[in-house]
Amino acid sequence: MSKKILILLFFLFTVFLKGQTLKFTGNINDTSANNGLPNVLMMVLKFSDSTLIKHTRTNNTGFFKPIQVPLDTYLVILSHPSHSDKTFLLVPSSKDSVYNFKNVVLPPKSFVLNEIEIVAPKEKSYYKGDTLIFTADSFKTGANATVEDLLKRLPGMQVDANGKITVQGKEVDQVLVDGDEFFGTDPTIATRNLNASSIDNVQVFDKKNESTEEGANETLKVINLKLKDDAKKGYFGKVSGASDFQKFYEGEFLANHFKGSRKVSLFGLVANTPKQAFGGGDAYKYGLSGEQNWIYDDETGNWINNNERGTGVPLTIKSGFYFNDKIGENTKINADYTFNQNQLFSGSETNTQFFLADTSYSNLKIKTSESKNQNHSFNFRVIQKLDSLTELTLAPKIKYTTSDNSTIQTDDFISGEIATTRRTVIKNTNSNQTSDANIYLKLSRNFMKKDRNISISYQPIFNSSNNDTKLNTDFIYYEGQANDSSLVQKRTQKNSKIEHNASLIYTEPFTKKIKGEFSYNFTNNQNSNNRETFNYRATGYDLLDSNLSNNFENKRVIHRAGTKLTYEVKKYRITVGSYFRNIEQQNVNITTGNKLQLKVNNILPLASFNYRINQGSNLSFRYNSSSQQPDLQQMQPVRDNTDPNRISIGNPDLKPTFSNNLSLNYYFYKGIKDVNFWVGGNYGNTNNQISYATTYDSEGRAITQPVNVNGNYNGNVWLGGGFPLFKKFIKTYYNFNGSFSNNVSLVNSTKNISQNTSLGPSMSVEKNAEKFNIRIGGDYSYNIPKSTISIQSNQPYYSYGLEGSVVLKIRKKFIISTDGRYNDNGNRTPGYNIHYFIWNASIARLFLKTGNLALSLNANDILNQNISNQRYISSNQIVDTKTQIIKRYFLLKLLYKFNNQKTKVEGDDDF
């Protein structure tokens, strides 16, 4: 390096080095004698004037006696009569206090040294283009810490108890290792698999979403873990068994092999504890994708992760494998298979208050259900390089699912005078078989001109399902409104879907700063559903009920073409564009012969702006528009009386929605002070939003039909960050989330506007040390609902929680941990203002030199208070639910972890 550059470096750094000291230690190895090299002279010269500040020599074992000098920029020369000199230019930062010249080897005497090694600290985090990069070694973690431990220490990142990762308030969609999927596609697939010490850097960026599903986000939030070169090999895993020798048991086996590009995983699990699947734990730690179990909750109208519910009494059996490899220089392959069987017995109690213009009443629903679900899924992907510029991807996926469910549900309808007016007892059984298959084909071609490329993709999708349901309902009247009666029916339903998706994307750079993208997408979808309902007679289920039977078909052809321009310089990137979309839809009621044609044209504009203020801060803005089509179930004009108190019917006149979405995000991090902050918000409104029109009869029965409405909008704000206290003795984290929504619906033909405002602050403090870990935190949620149809439903409610955890390591052989959380729910229906304290604890004894064999006693819900309690307010309803959940239980567990390095496998949470 030229002397002018070295002088410039000196003046940049000396301003930070006043009044501090730097300690030198180290050792010199003699490779020929395979031991330490004695009598090596270390000379420390001040860079600015070559003044000799201090010197020392190695002892008989090759180790230097430590010396201490003022913090400055130095030339450090290592000299020995039998070897050539080695010179270091040491440019420390204001955070450095010790530099260790560890295992240095001096060059042979015959070697002429013409280079100087420059030692300077890397930035803890910085931007490279739009990619935020964290230097892993700059963030302190414990010995044998996992990647998840590392991520928890990165500014702006959070990892919850289920392994879900958020970056600056946004959930991570995908985690890659060296740019490839690691044992599948689960977002936190590698975080508990790899040691933090194996990571060179952590990269955070957005990439284009290749999903063809309507309404899917255009971009995905991605984390890429860049491995050090010596970390790309090894095997690791565990085998464990646990039981209380009475009722509960768990058994697991996981084995993983990682060598270069080859990644292999085998797993198996059987458990009847709340540990359904591998969700939130080993699903992420051992890289098992596709293990999330999302279900539709008819109590809340939302999709929720059944693995996180913790409700009911489960039985889970799972097994499968993952395989990734590279054949030669041009072929990558990936394959995985999963077998999953879940049985669940659950119970719930739901109290719903209904508010109408002239009356109010409530419904107490007690429901028990038993289900058994089984699925087989197989995924395969091959990426073939045809030449240095062309790549072909082939990715078929197959899934087969069967399910059997039975429910018993009792509904009591209670008048405003607290008198039970009627009761229904519903007994339903259901069996279903579903087959899914699709093939994704993509051809990508880069050209010699930088940023010029083209990609063509095609994906056929096939789906079929058969469903058989038996309905049995008893109607009981207490005030003589009608005679007691019963309904016995059988329903069969056959659904099929064939869809073809094709796309072409071409990118052309006009100048070094401006490039354009041109795209075209084509979708052809045919979806049909044939539903037949038979009433029971003396001869069996043989009387067709035409009011509850229908054969319906939806055909849809979509053309979308558009362009966008991107202007990009060092700190700025601006994108503007627009798409034109044409939809031709035909709804065919095969039963009646009616046909409904619909043509819709949309202009879908988009824009984004990104400003990288400096290496530690970034500001971004994004606007996009989207349109979504109604699904077949929403359009089929047939009644669904699975629950005769809550009948739904489709609407073939539904139109596509049109939405506008805006988001703004800002982030900064100051590495020296270890302070980070992020803030953001979004706003969206939807025209022709698919809402619901509900009609209630005199007995409280509801008939609901989807309709298009206008006036729906929502907004969210979030902020968070962290900062150290007491000279970095502890770290404080804070978060705030706020939201507002406005939703329109129809209740007995009257327009109802429901608004909800929610506020949710939280804060925690942590202390991480080698022998212990302590965390204390709290969170609060306050909801303010408003409804125009009845002020009685405008009842604010709140919940708050206090939690803490302690982990102690005693004499390297014992690990004691405990955690607790207090929850309080207020301003709810009597009987649902529940407060409870969940306390768990464990003690583990480690065996073997590595400590990888552990015997532990785990106590769950020691105070026997666990309960699941939710509230939601929608339209003219207030719904409070309590759900059955496994309470106190104890397990004696034996666990053995293994890896190829014969060292301790971190993951004390497993003990």
Side-chain angles (χ1 to χ4, degrees), residues 157 187 241 286 326 335 344 346 352 383 386 427 473 531 541 547 583 664 677 692 703 707 715 748 822 852 899 909:
M157 285 201 191
Y286 290 91
K326 188 174 181 180
L344 182 67
S346 63
T352 303
I383 301 175
L386 303 180
K427 301 176 183 178
T473 304
R531 180 185 299 180
Y541 296 97
N547 292 324
I583 303 171
L664 180 68
F677 173 77
Y692 291 91
I703 299 177
V707 293
N748 285 342
Y822 174 79
N852 287 342
N899 64 9
D909 58 305

Side-chain angles (χ1 to χ4, degrees), residues 404-407 427-431 467-472:
D404 294 284
N405 305 280
S406 63
T407 63
K427 301 176 183 178
N428 290 342
T429 61
N430 175 274
S431 64
N467 185 286
D468 293 306
T469 304
K470 289 185 178 179
L471 313 172
N472 192 330

